[in-house]
Amino acid sequence: MSTNGAAGAADGGAVFSPGAGGLADGAPSIDPFVDIRGVSKWFGDLQVLDKISLDVPEHDVVCLIGASGSGKSTLLRCLNLLEHVEEGEIVVDGQRLTHERVDVNALRRKIGIVFQAYNLFPHMTVLQNVMLSPRKALGLSRNEAEERARPLLRRIGLEAKAGEYPDRLSGGQQQRVAIVRALAMQPKLMLLDEITSALDPQLVADVLDLVRELAESGMTMIVATHEMGFAREVADKVCFLDAGCILEEGPPQQIFGEPREQRTRQFLSRVLEGGRMA
Amino acid sequence: MHALHQVLHAFFNPHSYTLAMPDVWAGFQVNLRMMVIAEVLVLVLALGIAIVRGLPGPAAKPLRALAIGYADFFRGTPIIIVAFLVGFGLPGLQLGYISNRSFTTYGIIALTLVYTAYVTEVYRAGIESVHPSQRAAARSLGLSYMQAMRHVVVPQAVRRVIPPLLNDFIGLQKDTAIVSVIGVSEAALNAGQFSNRNGDFPSYVVAAVFFILITIPLARFTDHLVQQRERLERAQAF
């Protein structure tokens, strides 16, 4: 994992680039960057994931769409080991997440996740929020962590808010801070869990712009979203989840233009009525 | 008229106040010392036990059971009995250092044992009141369980439980009088001895006033914190 956050900050583009190093450097690897094989999960008797399999090549953006309760969030939480995977296998960057002796903390440092409810730490300032894990999990000094955090905040136009507490920020600002808080760990994979669902409509655009920028910088991302226009625009692949299964997957033009499955068509037409299709 | 005169004489004889004051004040300084030392110990120990009680996983099960047993025992036992057990029991063991402490020290130990059990529950409620998503966010950033507790969960929990914690401390401050039963020469004991000698009760009134003078400000301060938090939460709701 590179530690040249400050050097990279000189030009804007490098601020967001995914962490360097690892298997995927140099010659293109044959294995996909994220390899999900037959993952199943139950909450009690309720099966929430049903033999999910999915490949994500490095630098690709995969969007997960589907109704609430279809398993999008659970799948993302499994990828970050916030949920225990009961069956199947997940490999990220050549490392098997589902191995029982895996170093959970080390792995999570490479995989960032952003939640619907932002989950900023309310007792810390914006800057402290972004600096916490680089300092405590990566062992950076206060100065090193600040050199990493400030350019990120500058990039999202919130450096002036560095000393404010989260409750002084709008929802959109909080969510952008949550995104750069994850980026401060220089992850190689970002998981976004319906990050605009709790926002007022006029605040959504800023957050989506940031994600778009992230996608253009080559970050590998798996994004659960209800923003169909956004998914169509940034996704390399769209997966439609229904009752814990990936019912249909394909390039966005195909999924949104000519969905094969009846249930995908039903879902998309309901979303269209709801006005979520830009 | 006669009865009123008797009451005035027995409780409010000005001359007795002047006489009682030095004895009771000397005793009250012992109360103050016990309060401060016990409160610091309680704050630290209770947090440790609350964290142990919340440890996840089967490996921590014996530790959790120990913490639960401790809280159950000392919350269920009257403080006067704990005072007897410590104040008479430990010297009775004839174990050198721990059997040769002063009564004041045994009093502090008894108060600490009992109030740590109460405050453990207060901390635990605070830790559980922090939304699980905060812990998930901390863990997802690569922090370990203990790092997430230390930097994210506990600071928020402690802020929330300061009012109930101060309420327990009001109780602790008053209960420093109970440990007079093992012979700690504190305000209540000195007041009793003075009352026996003098045949009236102003010494008790003096002792009561001393306690009130420190508990009322603490009670008002606690109210103030509660109101401040309510205002803050109302402001955040908008």
Side-chain angles (χ1 to χ4, degrees):
Chain A
M1 185 141 292
S2 88
T3 49
N4 61 350
D11 63 68
V15 177
F16 290 148
S17 50
L23 280 180
D25 266 359
S29 142
I30 302 152
D31 297 325
F33 190 68
V34 179
D35 187 1
I36 303 171
R37 284 279 153 266
V39 165
S40 294
K41 171 148 189 81
W42 291 261
F43 289 138
D45 289 336
L46 180 72
Q47 185 163 15
V48 283
L49 295 179
D50 186 3
K51 298 187 194 68
I52 297 263
S53 291
L54 177 66
D55 293 346
V56 184
E58 196 169 18
H59 309 305
D60 267 18
V61 176
V62 171
C63 283
L64 310 175
I65 63 170
S68 299
S70 58
K72 308 185 295 290
S73 290
T74 308
L75 180 59
L76 292 183
R77 291 173 70 89
C78 284
L79 278 161
N80 200 274
L81 297 176
L82 289 170
E83 299 287 352
H84 178 68
V85 176
E86 277 148 350
E87 214 178 272
E89 214 174 76
I90 302 176
V91 178
V92 174
D93 195 19
Q95 223 178 336
R96 197 146 64 94
L97 258 73
T98 36
H99 193 282
E100 58 186 274
R101 305 204 73 86
V102 73
D103 181 348
V104 177
N105 299 331
L107 211 119
R108 284 187 181 135
R109 285 168 209 153
K110 297 203 297 186
I111 304 175
I113 185 165
V114 183
F115 306 93
Q116 179 176 343
Y118 341 131
N119 299 351
L120 293 182
F121 306 132
H123 61 299
M124 294 182 190
T125 65
V126 164
L127 184 64
Q128 287 168 336
N129 262 278
V130 180
M131 284 167 57
L132 177 70
S133 56
R135 286 189 65 199
K136 301 303 171 187
L138 300 181
L140 298 193
S141 71
R142 186 185 292 271
N143 283 340
E144 288 169 324
E146 190 164 344
E147 277 168 16
R148 200 183 265 207
R150 284 207 178 264
L152 287 166
L153 290 174
R154 195 175 309 137
R155 201 71 193 81
I156 57 170
L158 291 177
E159 205 192 1
K161 303 271 188 192
E164 300 272 14
Y165 286 88
D167 61 4
R168 309 280 298 172
L169 271 56
S170 74
Q173 291 173 330
Q174 289 191 48
Q175 192 58 292
R176 283 182 286 146
V177 172
I179 293 172
V180 297
R181 179 176 70 175
L183 292 176
M185 294 297 284
Q186 302 182 336
K188 307 188 73 178
L189 170 66
M190 283 285 279
L191 310 169
L192 308 182
D193 188 5
E194 295 187 27
I195 59 169
T196 56
S197 297
L199 295 177
D200 291 340
Q202 78 271 18
L203 301 176
V204 169
D206 281 345
V207 172
L208 292 186
D209 282 347
L210 175 53
V211 178
R212 206 171 280 125
E213 230 175 293
L214 211 52
E216 282 160 11
S217 77
M219 178 68 78
T220 314
M221 291 195 281
I222 305 179
V223 183
T225 186
H226 288 303
E227 304 287 343
M228 298 304 156
F230 175 76
R232 172 143 59 182
E233 180 197 338
V234 301
D236 296 293
K237 177 157 71 180
V238 175
C239 301
F240 172 65
L241 271 76
D242 184 63
C245 297
I246 295 181
L247 201 62
E248 184 167 1
E249 63 174 280
Q253 301 82 348
Q254 182 255 307
I255 297 286
F256 294 115
E258 41 198 306
R260 283 187 301 269
E261 298 289 332
Q262 174 67 21
R263 295 196 61 95
T264 317
R265 279 197 293 274
Q266 277 174 354
F267 172 77
L268 288 173
S269 69
R270 274 203 306 273
V271 170
L272 200 58
E273 288 162 22
R276 285 276 195 167
M277 186 82 93
Chain B
M1 262 337 260
H2 180 68
L4 180 65
H5 183 260
Q6 254 190 336
V7 168
L8 284 176
H9 183 78
F11 285 95
F12 300 106
N13 178 0
H15 184 60
S16 289
Y17 279 96
T18 330
L19 286 178
M21 189 68 89
D23 270 14
V24 179
W25 172 241
F28 193 65
Q29 286 171 310
V30 177
N31 293 84
L32 288 174
R33 198 159 85 234
M34 289 196 291
M35 287 168 199
V36 172
I37 297 174
E39 280 168 3
V40 171
L41 291 174
V42 166
L43 277 178
V44 176
L45 293 174
L47 182 57
I49 295 174
I51 289 172
V52 164
R53 196 159 168 183
L55 286 177
K61 199 172 178 188
L63 283 173
R64 284 200 300 269
L66 215 61
I68 292 169
Y70 169 81
D72 282 354
F73 182 82
F74 284 103
R75 281 199 305 161
T77 313
I79 188 164
I80 195 164
I81 292 176
V82 176
F84 284 139
L85 280 172
V86 173
F88 300 146
L90 291 185
L93 292 175
Q94 300 185 323
L95 278 174
Y97 185 82
I98 66 159
S99 298
N100 283 315
R101 299 297 93 205
S102 68
F103 285 130
T104 309
T105 304
Y106 291 130
I108 292 169
I109 293 172
L111 287 165
T112 304
L113 285 172
V114 170
Y115 276 91
T116 295
Y118 286 118
V119 174
T120 296
E121 295 303 306
V122 171
Y123 276 131
R124 202 163 69 95
I127 288 170
E128 281 172 8
S129 79
V130 176
H131 198 272
S133 63
Q134 284 285 308
R135 198 172 314 190
R139 296 302 307 274
S140 76
L141 287 164
L143 298 183
S144 68
Y145 178 86
M146 283 314 277
Q147 284 175 325
M149 287 300 279
R150 164 138 189 256
H151 299 291
V152 174
V153 178
V154 169
Q156 293 184 61
V158 168
R159 264 159 240 223
R160 278 177 213 189
V161 300
I162 286 172
L165 209 132
L166 292 180
N167 269 327
D168 274 351
F169 278 179
I170 291 173
L172 186 153
Q173 295 183 345
K174 291 189 298 175
D175 281 353
T176 56
I178 286 186
V179 299
S180 63
V181 296
I182 57 169
V184 179
S185 182
E186 50 69 67
L189 189 82
N190 289 5
Q193 286 169 349
F194 185 90
S195 166
N196 284 342
R197 280 203 305 276
N198 231 37
D200 59 8
F201 310 107
S203 56
Y204 286 126
V205 179
V206 171
V209 168
F210 279 143
F211 278 102
I212 286 170
L213 281 180
I214 59 158
T215 50
I216 286 185
L218 190 54
R220 288 294 85 76
F221 179 62
T222 309
D223 292 346
H224 168 75
L225 287 181
V226 172
Q227 277 167 2
Q228 198 180 37
R229 172 159 298 278
E230 278 170 2
R231 265 203 307 277
L232 208 74
E233 275 164 9
R234 267 203 303 276
Q236 278 171 0
F238 292 107

